[in-house]
Amino acid sequence: MREIVVFSGSAHRELAHRICDALGVPLSQSVTSRFSNDCLQAQLLANCRQRDVYIVQPLVAPTQDALMELLLMVDAARGASAAMVTAVIPHFAYARSDKKDASRISLGGKLVADLIATAGVDRVITMNLHAPQVHGFFSMPVDHLTSLGVLADHFREHDLEDTVVVSPDLGNAKDATQFSRLLGLPVAAGSKKRLGDDRVVIDSIVGDVEGKRAIVLDDEIATGGSIVELMDRLAERGVTEASVACTHGLFAGKAVERLSTHPMIREVVTTDTVPAPAGWPALRVRSVAGLFAEAIKRIHEGESVSSLFDGVDPTHAPPRQRSLFDGVGG
């Protein structure tokens, strides 16, 4: 695999190292400099000519710096005559800005996708976009991976008797349904109304949860407001305890304090698409580096990547079927 060259931005070098270890290739060196006027400059320190270049960079805080660094590294690879440039973006931060839900509001998800295309990216590999329609914002091929299989493997180590999978909202219920099928469990969902960035109201629970333990599955946890609100509703419905699982554990603001001290929450499980917060040793982190490495290997060798999209091991569940929640929540 000498023709593959992998670089990492500064957002999450640990994940890039894990991906390279799984691929059996070295992580090539790069340097990003900041000038006195606050402008960034990226330099790639390995030969890119006629090679397949992969740049690993989740869009995490400081998000604008991470995005600009990615664009500059792509531009540098293009200028160095790379045969193909693939942006590996485990967390696409602007996926939440996916619709016009207010007057004269920006559509950040589409704009950032256009910026990535203009910089010269040939292909994008990402994971668990906040909304399916964001996939269509990109003008180049997108390999949209899922962490459901990795998270399900964690819970197979548990006693799952009298357990139900719960989605915080109907929009995430399709993934929750797939996750529940991987574990052979029933599924429920909250009906959520967002009042602000960290203020939500969950006014009802769809499904039977009384007397059960819950596995709450979400794609992304930022401040933890939705999860805490859901815990209150689940407690009112007779849930005894809950585990919380998500793909992108951003844990911003007071999220660590909220989740680590909540009496209903037994454990929190996430993946390494973004760096884990410091000072939370009880957080369980499952790596998705193997999935990204497998996607890179298959793309490079011209093989199908579609089997990585559903996270479905045929041993545990048949392919996805239409569910009660299909067509609900957008």
Side-chain angles (χ1 to χ4, degrees), residues 8-91:
S8 174
S10 58
H12 199 358
R13 293 190 190 277
E14 294 84 356
L15 176 60
H17 276 292
R18 294 181 196 122
I19 292 172
C20 286
D21 288 345
L23 280 171
V25 301
L27 179 62
S28 297
Q29 296 300 306
S30 63
V31 175
T32 299
S33 307
R34 187 182 299 270
F35 293 108
S36 57
N37 64 356
D38 204 37
C39 291
L40 297 177
Q41 175 180 273
Q43 181 181 14
L44 308 181
L45 302 181
N47 184 14
C48 301
R49 184 175 296 276
Q50 296 307 305
R51 287 165 168 77
D52 288 349
V53 173
Y54 294 83
I55 301 172
V56 181
Q57 180 83 323
L59 301 185
V60 295
T63 306
Q64 279 53 250
D65 279 6
L67 172 60
M68 195 64 202
E69 184 181 29
L70 172 63
L71 298 175
L72 290 171
M73 293 179 75
V74 171
D75 181 72
R78 272 279 162 246
S81 302
M84 184 176 78
V85 179
T86 299
V88 181
I89 311 174
H91 174 58

Side-chain angles (χ1 to χ4, degrees), residues 110 113-118 121-122 124 134-142:
K110 180 65 169 68
D114 288 345
L115 288 171
I116 290 171
T118 299
V121 169
D122 297 295
V124 170
V134 176
H135 190 143
F137 290 173
F138 293 89
S139 58
M140 74 288 290
V142 176

Side-chain angles (χ1 to χ4, degrees), residues 241-323:
E241 65 177 19
S243 297
V244 176
C246 69
T247 301
H248 310 299
L250 303 177
F251 305 123
K254 298 181 179 179
V256 173
E257 178 185 352
R258 285 172 169 172
L259 300 177
S260 63
T261 61
H262 197 286
M264 278 276 289
I265 299 177
R266 185 180 70 173
E267 67 173 347
V268 179
V269 185
T270 188
T271 78
D272 58 352
T273 57
V274 302
W280 193 2
L283 178 68
R284 305 293 300 274
V285 180
R286 306 287 296 215
S287 183
V288 291
L291 280 175
F292 281 99
E294 183 65 20
I296 290 171
K297 178 177 179 292
R298 293 188 186 190
I299 290 167
H300 182 68
E301 296 179 351
E303 298 177 357
S304 173
V305 188
S306 59
S307 63
L308 303 178
F309 294 166
D310 279 341
V312 178
D313 182 340
T315 304
H316 301 294
R320 184 194 297 266
Q321 300 172 348
R322 289 188 61 83
S323 76

Side-chain angles (χ1 to χ4, degrees), residues 1 5 26 58 65 72 84 101 130 147 153 214 227 262 268:
M1 300 184 71
V5 183
D65 279 6
L72 290 171
M84 184 176 78
D101 53 2
H130 182 68
S147 66
D153 287 342
I227 300 299
H262 197 286
V268 179

